[in-house]
Amino acid sequence: MNAPARSKARSAARLGAVQALYQQHMEGTALARLLDEFHQHRLGREVDDEDHAGEVMADAEIAFFDDIVRGVDTRREEIDALLVAKLAEGWTLARLDKTMLQILRAGAYELIARMDVPKAAAISEYVDVAKAFFDDREAKFVNGVLDAVAREVRG
């Protein structure tokens, strides 16, 4: 896979991972079932959204998607403690929008566990994911929190 195709596949994996983590958070879907559902019905399939009817979700790097989803699931307490420490005083994870929380969890996981991904690339990718759901203000929030996480876990 050439570099631009791999980059696009990883971007799609990150977006899919955030969506999967959101579904798991909202519905309590078991991890194996969640991964199977995304493999069979979501990743690389037609987008089920009237604003994007007929568009196909970019082929995601499945192993990368799986690593993010499994990693967040396995290390949720560690990730959440790290995130809480980076929020403004008086803020809790419960106060965050549920999609925002999954973006931060996935980004923090990647910064903690995926040393093969440069920290600036990981942060930039999750800022882009945030822009898919939110305005610039929230994207800047993601940048700030993940930058603080990166400074702590990667120096």
Side-chain angles (χ1 to χ4, degrees):
M1 184 181 297
N2 63 32
R6 183 174 190 212
S7 177
K8 189 173 183 179
R10 284 202 163 183
S11 294
R14 288 177 177 103
L15 180 60
V18 167
Q19 293 169 328
L21 292 166
Y22 177 84
Q23 179 176 325
Q24 184 185 44
H25 183 88
M26 297 303 290
E27 299 175 2
T29 309
L31 184 62
R33 183 169 160 231
L34 181 72
L35 292 173
D36 183 60
E37 178 181 327
F38 272 76
H39 294 173
Q40 300 299 319
H41 305 292
R42 303 275 182 96
L43 300 175
R45 302 291 189 254
E46 189 170 310
V47 176
D48 186 20
D49 176 332
E50 34 184 81
D51 292 334
H52 302 282
E55 291 181 27
V56 174
M57 185 181 251
D59 283 333
E61 186 178 319
I62 302 298
F64 193 68
F65 165 85
D66 287 355
D67 182 60
I68 295 168
V69 175
R70 280 191 178 108
V72 170
D73 186 68
T74 301
R75 299 176 77 169
R76 187 173 325 258
E77 286 182 30
E78 173 190 1
I79 291 166
D80 286 357
L82 190 57
L83 292 173
V84 166
K86 304 306 175 205
L87 296 177
E89 189 175 330
W91 272 81
T92 63
L93 296 181
R95 283 185 68 184
L96 295 177
D97 174 272
K98 289 169 182 50
T99 302
M100 175 64 69
L101 176 58
Q102 305 319 316
I103 293 168
L104 292 173
R105 282 176 170 161
Y109 169 76
E110 209 168 314
L111 290 165
I112 292 167
R114 296 296 306 228
M115 296 303 166
D116 59 313
V117 178
K119 65 182 177 181
I123 293 168
S124 175
E125 285 284 333
Y126 286 100
V127 167
D128 287 346
V129 171
K131 288 177 181 178
F133 296 100
F134 302 104
D135 292 328
D136 283 345
R137 189 172 133 232
E138 288 86 355
K140 288 177 183 175
F141 174 74
V142 168
N143 186 73
V145 172
L146 292 181
D147 185 60
V149 168
R151 280 195 308 273
E152 180 171 328
V153 300
R154 293 204 187 177

